[in-house]
Amino acid sequence: MATTITINPSTGEKIAEYNRITINEAKEKITQSKKTFDSWKQKNFEERAQLMHKLAAILEGNKEEYAQLATREMGKTIGQSRKEIEKCALVCRYYADHSKELLADEIVKTEATKSYVTFKPIGVILAVMPWNFPFYQVIRFAVPALMAGNTGVLKHASNVQGCAFALEDAFVKSGFPTGTFTNLNIDSKLVKDIIENKNIMAVTLTGSEPAGRSVASIAGQNLKKTVMELGGSDAYIILDDVDMEEATDMATLGRLQNNGQTCIAAKRFVVLDEIYDEFLALFTKKMKAAKMGEPTDETTYYGPMARTDLRDQLHEQVLKTVAQGGRLVLGGEIPDRNGAYYPATILADLEPGMEGFDNELFGPVASVIRAKDDAHAVELANNSVFGLGSGVFTGNKERGERLALQLEAGSSFVNKLVVSDPRLPFGGIKNSGYGRELAAYGIREFVNTKTIWIN
Ligand code: NAP
């Protein structure tokens, strides 16, 4: 029987082995999910919200256990894992309290006696999810989808299968009927068959660009709606009026949090010429001082990457950038220790055409780019196939806002690292994907926006 093996990226040791289900078993679970949908969609918002509040309480009540599991499976520092679980509970409560108003009928004045738009659930939604926020990414899809009256099936990343089962268990313990949220421990090769299943009505994927292209094209062939949350190589513009201490603190945190593996993380720092050398010197000092280590150690700033193959791939990208003329200022060597560790690394003087400029570096590696002036900084920032989250650091909020509005990205923040917030939409443009999660926009992705006309 095929299995999924999870490995602790800090030690390289095996954690657990899970039997994969067959395609027929997966189909049975989808049939059950469809049956559950037929009754779940009849429940009112208050009934669904009650279970969602219970889920929030269960997540919080088991915070330490879930956080330790996430850290063990993908190497996130323990403090950040705890925050991830807290954020999951926040999203549960947000949608428990607001779904009714977010999906309220919209009266439209026409010549009809009554005409309005109503939002109806569509059925079973498939979610293909990544490992980098093993609880939060799933919650971000599942909570609004379920509150809208849909049911969900999950194909989670293989290396965080323990988190996938823990989430399924949390939904069951909260009292959600069997089949409302189901983990499918399948090989990604079976995703095609799952999408083709007649009971799957839509697909959401968070992950890499290649996975997104594959899943979106299969769904397209089957005329099934998709939401794609893909990679990013987001630019943060550092202007010459910035508070340098603050900007370099943010840059260090932005590049190293989640061990450098956040889709919306600052990856390319576009710095104005006048302050370029000063920024690079202070940023290098802070990146060098950040402590790499065992992720369960509370004093660790950043831990290992999630898998050794991903670490090796990142290292190849660093070497390629240097061969193309990029300047290696810090790091860039695989440490002599067990696990998937990679040191904080800085590549400077990058230009379009270099690997570190053009592609996503999904790990603790920063690209630093010199810009002549504000307009040039925007041009360099927008010179990317991605457009997820970007930022501007400046002492002048109006100047920051002016530039933020010109950045091609789903989110642009001034003087703050981009974060997702349940009250605001989250998603990308260009190769970072399409569709939105969170807020009203997210919960309306997987509904039938239905017109009612009464003469
Ligand atoms: P990944 O390799 O694309 O994996 C993501 C999920 O897709 C996993 O469940 C994986 O299963 C599955 N998968 C991979 N190839 C597939 C295929 N051809 N068909 C169907 N399913 C497939 O991505 P990752 O390395 O886990 O995550 C890193 C990427 O995700 C980065 O590019 C990052 O920027 C992006 N990301 C984006 C967001 C966002 O909100 N925009 C958030 C987080 C991460 P297996 O594990 O079994 O291979």
Side-chain angles (χ1 to χ4, degrees):
M1 173 176 279
T3 57
T4 306
I5 295 172
T6 52
I7 298 200
N8 184 331
S10 179
T11 60
E13 285 161 7
K14 175 176 156 182
I15 305 167
E17 190 163 354
Y18 301 90
N19 290 335
R20 282 200 150 132
I21 58 171
T22 63
I23 187 65
N24 285 337
E25 287 166 326
K27 283 179 182 165
E28 278 168 28
K29 284 176 186 282
I30 292 167
T31 304
Q32 174 61 53
S33 188
K34 166 70 171 84
K35 270 193 201 136
T36 305
F37 168 69
D38 292 336
S39 51
W40 179 247
K41 69 180 176 188
Q42 311 288 354
K43 302 223 182 280
N44 60 37
F45 284 109
E46 288 73 17
E47 289 170 305
R48 291 182 205 140
Q50 213 179 348
L51 299 180
M52 217 42 98
H53 277 295
K54 187 84 196 294
L55 179 62
I58 285 185
L59 288 165
E60 275 177 350
N62 295 283
K63 181 168 80 177
E64 193 55 31
E65 185 193 323
Y66 294 150
Q68 292 287 348
L69 176 61
T71 292
R72 205 158 50 243
E73 289 195 329
M74 54 69 67
K76 187 189 302 257
T77 59
I78 188 65
Q80 288 176 23
S81 289
R82 291 184 191 120
K83 285 206 180 100
E84 179 173 337
I85 305 300
E86 286 163 15
K87 195 160 179 184
C88 290
L90 178 82
V91 171
C92 292
R93 294 196 175 108
Y94 174 80
Y95 278 109
D97 294 341
H98 296 284
S99 293
K100 191 174 176 177
E101 81 198 46
L102 298 176
L103 294 180
D105 291 347
E106 286 177 2
I107 303 285
V108 180
K109 273 199 184 320
T110 64
E111 56 277 30
T113 317
K114 188 180 177 190
S115 51
Y116 61 98
V117 181
T118 188
F119 303 98
K120 294 292 176 202
I122 53 176
V124 186
I125 316 295
L126 167 67
V128 182
M129 289 287 136
W131 44 262
N132 63 341
F133 289 86
F135 282 86
Y136 178 63
Q137 299 285 3
V138 177
I139 286 289
R140 198 164 75 181
F141 132 75
V143 170
L146 268 52
M147 280 305 300
N150 300 296
T151 56
V153 291
L154 168 70
K155 186 274 174 261
H156 212 336
S158 301
N159 55 327
V160 291
Q161 212 41 233
C163 296
F165 280 112
L167 272 163
E168 185 182 53
D169 185 54
F171 275 93
V172 171
K173 285 196 175 116
S174 308
F176 285 87
T178 308
T180 321
F181 175 87
T182 309
N183 179 35
L184 304 177
N185 179 18
I186 50 164
D187 192 293
S188 63
K189 290 192 189 80
L190 296 185
V191 167
K192 180 173 185 289
D193 290 326
I194 305 291
I195 295 171
E196 288 169 350
N197 187 291
K198 69 177 190 322
N199 286 325
I200 295 292
M201 302 310 288
V203 189
T204 178
L205 178 138
T206 300
S208 61
E209 205 187 321
R213 283 184 193 282
S214 167
V215 166
S217 59
I218 297 164
Q221 282 295 321
N222 289 277
L223 298 178
K224 294 188 182 177
K225 177 169 180 176
T226 48
V227 166
M228 292 284 139
E229 297 284 1
L230 309 178
S233 182
D234 292 311
Y236 277 68
I237 296 176
I238 319 288
L239 296 180
D240 48 7
D241 56 5
V242 81
D243 177 328
M244 193 56 81
E245 279 298 339
E246 216 175 278
T248 46
D249 278 346
M250 292 265 212
T252 306
L253 178 66
R255 197 60 293 246
L256 296 182
Q257 70 180 348
N258 213 33
N259 311 337
Q261 305 159 123
T262 306
C263 53
I264 43 171
K267 290 175 187 133
R268 291 183 300 138
F269 296 92
V270 180
V271 187
L272 289 201
D273 192 34
E274 289 85 340
I275 53 156
Y276 184 87
D277 294 334
E278 187 191 351
F279 173 85
L280 188 57
L282 196 54
F283 182 38
T284 304
K285 190 174 155 209
K286 290 181 179 175
M287 288 279 276
K288 197 173 177 183
K291 184 181 163 195
M292 178 177 84
E294 171 58 42
T296 51
D297 177 346
E298 309 273 351
T299 65
T300 291
Y301 196 96
Y302 67 104
M305 289 179 59
R307 300 194 315 247
T308 48
D309 61 310
L310 296 172
R311 188 269 314 271
D312 295 346
Q313 207 175 296
L314 179 72
H315 184 56
E316 286 304 314
Q317 289 182 286
V318 169
L319 296 181
K320 187 172 174 187
T321 309
V322 173
Q324 289 169 325
R327 178 159 60 102
L328 180 67
V329 177
L330 180 72
E333 271 182 41
I334 295 180
D336 183 19
R337 62 185 288 176
N338 285 340
Y341 286 91
Y342 200 73
T345 296
I346 296 178
L347 296 163
D349 309 342
L350 299 199
E351 289 173 6
M354 293 181 185
E355 179 69 14
F357 187 104
D358 292 346
N359 288 318
E360 182 181 34
L361 300 177
F362 208 58
V365 181
S367 299
V368 184
I369 297 153
R370 191 188 293 265
K372 289 195 291 273
D373 52 28
D374 290 18
H376 188 217
V378 171
E379 185 192 318
L380 288 164
N382 288 342
N383 187 345
S384 172
V385 295
F386 298 107
L388 191 57
S390 55
V392 185
F393 287 106
T394 170
N396 179 336
K397 288 180 189 168
E398 287 75 33
R399 188 179 173 197
E401 187 176 351
R402 215 164 39 239
L403 265 58
L405 284 165
Q406 296 171 54
L407 292 174
E408 295 166 1
S411 303
S412 298
F413 282 31
V414 176
N415 293 338
K416 182 172 165 63
L417 296 168
V418 175
V419 289
S420 71
D421 180 315
R423 297 166 297 180
L424 291 162
F426 180 88
I429 58 168
K430 303 187 193 172
N431 293 3
S432 292
Y434 51 80
R436 289 295 177 265
E437 293 191 291
L438 300 176
Y441 305 88
I443 198 167
R444 290 183 181 183
E445 287 286 359
F446 298 121
V447 291
N448 172 13
T449 303
K450 186 177 164 81
T451 296
I452 300 287
W453 177 293
I454 296 156
N455 244 352

